[in-house]
Amino acid sequence: MANERIFPEYLELDALNSMSKGCMVDHLGIVFTEIGDDYLVATMPVDHRTKQPMGLLHGGASVALAETMGSVGSTVTIDLNKQYAVGLEINTNHIKSAKDGLVTGVAKPVHLGRSTQVWGIDIRNDENQLVAVSRITLAILDRK
């Protein structure tokens, strides 16, 4: 997609992060850190909440970060008075392990359609190495 602004001008990080209070996103420590014209950035700690027993970032935590970013990205591009977004499918390829620090996701739309959206999310470690790549498809449903 072109580098055009897809989010409302009034959208602020506080609004994105307040959507996550009291749910799994908050528990995992996911925080939105940047709103670009056509992308969102969020971080997640690699700690006791997000590691598997071998001490590595749990693949499910990476998927949770990607799902969160794609779902929130989709939600803030539609008119919530008329529509809402729900996930249809997500896939993630785990490229490299992470043992500590933060992982950072960058979510960008691949397709912003009337009835579906597709978002791509790259997740990198503190050394900017690719940890995972994910793609989520969302259905845009009309409110009744």
Side-chain angles (χ1 to χ4, degrees):
M1 295 197 62
N3 201 17
E4 61 190 57
R5 180 139 184 104
I6 61 170
F7 304 117
E9 290 291 332
Y10 58 83
L11 185 62
E12 296 182 357
L13 288 172
D14 286 344
L16 294 184
N17 288 314
S18 69
M19 294 169 68
S20 305
K21 296 297 179 204
C23 68
M24 185 178 76
V25 176
D26 188 27
H27 175 72
L28 293 178
I30 296 170
V31 176
F32 285 90
T33 59
E34 185 178 347
I35 302 168
D37 286 342
D38 67 342
Y39 65 91
L40 296 174
V41 179
T43 61
M44 181 178 67
V46 180
D47 64 14
H48 68 281
R49 297 169 292 179
T50 59
K51 287 182 182 180
Q52 41 97 313
M54 296 293 292
L56 305 173
L57 177 63
H58 192 291
S62 295
V63 175
L65 175 59
E67 173 98 18
T68 298
M69 296 187 74
S71 295
V72 168
S74 182
T75 295
V76 297
T77 63
I78 60 177
D79 181 347
L80 291 176
N81 293 315
K82 297 178 183 176
Q83 298 176 307
Y84 61 101
V86 294
L88 289 177
E89 190 272 342
I90 187 166
N91 68 62
T92 302
N93 296 101
H94 306 287
I95 310 296
K96 185 172 185 64
S97 62
K99 294 182 178 181
D100 53 31
L102 289 174
V103 288
T104 301
V106 177
K108 293 187 81 163
V110 175
H111 167 73
L112 296 177
R114 192 171 27 92
S115 60
T116 61
Q117 290 191 8
V118 178
W119 287 73
I121 302 94
D122 286 351
I123 301 172
R124 296 182 176 273
N125 63 18
D126 285 335
E127 289 80 43
N128 201 33
Q129 297 167 321
L130 191 61
V131 171
V133 293
S134 190
R135 182 172 286 206
I136 183 171
T137 302
L138 302 113
I140 308 303
L141 302 175
D142 292 330
R143 293 193 183 274
K144 297 180 181 186

